[in-house]
Each structure stands twice: as structure tokens, then as C-alpha cells.
Amino acid sequence: MQGENASLTPEPGHLYVVATPIGNLADLSQRALSILEKVDCIACEDTRNTGLLISRIFEEKRPLIAYHDHNEKKIASPLVDRIESGESIALVSDAGTPAISDPGFRLVRECRKRGIPVVPVPGACAFTTLLSASGLPSSSVLFVGFLPPKSAARKRFLEENKELKHTIALYESCHRIEKFLKEIVEILGPEREICIGRELTKKFETILTGPSSEVNAKLSNSSKKGEFVVLIAPIDFKL
């Protein structure tokens, strides 16, 4: 069994999937700090965003390589080649846990195919952060990431899942959140319990919970800045 101190030092030939803060920098764990400081390279969704994070927590720059939606098919295999040669690499996204509606799946899969150790370094994740503070049922959850951008596809999803007995968790952009909440009211009804979160862990964190019609009305009078997390309670659930 690996000792506590050893877990703070990356091992050669390992991939580390490192969660980073979704807003509050103080949420970065001691283990994540140590791994990011000591790995040979950090594969990140956006080198500018991760570079800013690194500049805030370390005095020296760290070697970064871009790994994002547009290049992950091409770069996953070469990155795993580097790990096979003995490098330790950390995978991070712009915020939260990599591979959860963020790039990372292909890199992790390629490591698994080749028998390379993949080590999770857990931390923040936006939908679990909101779920823990929502008061909605959390024992059974369907997480669907981002729904399609077109209204017809979103409405079809809501129709197909309107009687689901699980909490639904998803992400929505600031550009579509108002329209999506109106679709929830229309398809699931004005009394359906929902919870939305914005700017989670940040100074202007906003969490709104209640019947969809009430949450929709409250949102219309508040800021739409930032990415939203939306939770939809199971049918017949009441707070």
C-alpha cells in the first residue's frame, strides 16, 4: 500500500488526472499542488488559462502542452508514447475534473489500452458541487453534460425524460439558460422542482432552488454571466 508522502510525488510512466478549482483557488488540494509542481508535463485544455493558474501558485513556469477538443484525437497517442517512455504527465481542464464534459476521455482510454497507470487526483466538479447543496435527491443521478444547442433537441430530451425517477444534472451556457428554463416550464410543468447554480465557489455564487416557474422568474432579474449547472428533480419530488 502506497504511503501518504509517496502519493504526493508523481511516479514515472503514470498519467495523473488532476481536478482544478471551478472558481475558488483555495479549493486546490495539497496533493494536486504537489503533482502539478513535480510532473514532467501538464496537458491542459487551454495553455493560457492553465498558465495563469500556474503563475498564481508557483514561482516558476511549468511545461504545458495543449490538449483540447480539436486536437485530442491527434495528440492522445503521442502523449501516451511519452508516458510509456517514462515521463509523468498531469491532465487538467480549464476548471473542474478532466473528462467530465471536458477533454480527457481519449487520453485516459489510450492509457488503459496500453496498461499504463492512470491516477485520479480528485477535487472540484461543478455538478456534484451544486448537487451537494441543492436539497434534491442525490442517491441516483443522470448526468448528461451539455444538451444540444437546438431547442427542438432539448425539448425532445425533456419529453423523453419527463417521468424519470432520478435527478437530472446538466450544464448550460449563459446564452441559452433563459430559453432552456422556459422549455422546462413548458415541458415539465411550472411546479417541477429544479436547482440552478452560477459562478459556483466564486464571490457572486448564485444558487436558486424551487418550482421551475419561480426559478425562471428569479433568474430573469439576476445576472446571466458564467456557465450554469442545472438540476431537475425526479417527477413527484417536492422540497
Side-chain angles (χ1 to χ4, degrees):
M1 186 173 179
Q2 196 175 47
E4 182 180 353
N5 290 333
S7 69
L8 298 177
T9 302
E11 296 185 39
H14 285 56
L15 173 68
Y16 292 84
V17 182
V18 182
T20 54
I22 59 176
N24 193 321
L25 193 60
D27 292 335
L28 192 66
S29 71
Q30 180 184 357
R31 185 177 174 212
L33 280 167
S34 181
I35 294 297
L36 293 177
E37 183 180 24
K38 298 173 183 176
V39 288
D40 294 307
C41 179
I42 300 171
C44 51
E45 189 175 358
D46 189 321
T47 55
R48 293 165 299 180
N49 290 340
T50 300
L52 181 60
L53 173 67
I54 293 299
S55 70
R56 290 176 176 175
I57 58 179
F58 300 125
E59 292 183 359
E60 298 181 359
K61 293 183 178 180
R62 306 292 298 121
L64 306 177
I65 185 168
Y67 178 90
H68 47 70
D69 287 330
H70 303 295
N71 75 348
E72 64 172 335
K73 286 184 179 180
K74 179 180 178 180
I75 203 172
S77 186
L79 277 177
V80 179
D81 290 342
R82 292 176 58 172
I83 299 172
E84 271 191 327
S85 72
E87 288 190 39
S88 59
I89 291 182
L91 171 68
V92 302
S93 59
D94 284 346
T97 302
I100 308 298
S101 281
D102 276 327
F105 160 71
R106 288 182 173 83
L107 181 58
V108 172
R109 180 179 63 179
E110 186 65 22
C111 283
R112 290 298 183 193
K113 281 183 177 180
R114 301 197 204 179
I116 291 172
V118 179
V119 182
V121 182
C125 177
F127 89 86
T128 57
T129 297
L130 182 63
L131 185 64
S132 69
S134 69
L136 272 58
S138 58
S139 59
S140 183
V141 179
L142 173 65
F143 174 64
V144 296
F146 285 93
L147 292 182
K150 293 192 175 179
S151 178
R154 294 196 303 271
K155 287 182 177 181
R156 184 164 57 250
F157 172 84
L158 293 174
E159 286 283 4
E160 292 172 350
N161 293 278
K162 67 189 304 181
E163 296 187 5
L164 198 69
K165 298 184 183 301
H166 314 292
T167 295
I168 300 172
L170 57 95
Y171 297 147
E172 190 52 274
S173 78
C174 58
H175 307 293
R176 293 189 295 268
I177 187 63
E178 284 189 288
K179 183 176 288 187
F180 181 55
L181 287 190
K182 291 177 182 177
E183 292 163 355
I184 291 177
V185 174
E186 175 188 346
I187 305 298
L188 303 184
E191 297 304 312
R192 188 64 165 259
E193 298 283 350
I194 66 172
C195 177
I196 64 171
R198 182 189 71 87
E199 298 285 273
L200 295 174
T201 78
K202 299 178 183 178
K203 181 178 180 180
F204 297 106
E205 175 181 272
T206 302
I207 297 176
L208 302 175
T209 305
S212 61
S213 58
E214 293 182 12
V215 173
N216 185 35
K218 291 177 182 177
L219 180 67
S220 65
N221 296 317
S222 62
S223 173
K224 317 298 186 300
K225 180 182 177 181
E227 186 176 291
F228 286 79
V229 183
V230 181
L231 303 176
I232 303 172
I235 189 170
D236 297 330
F237 172 81
K238 293 296 179 184
L239 279 167

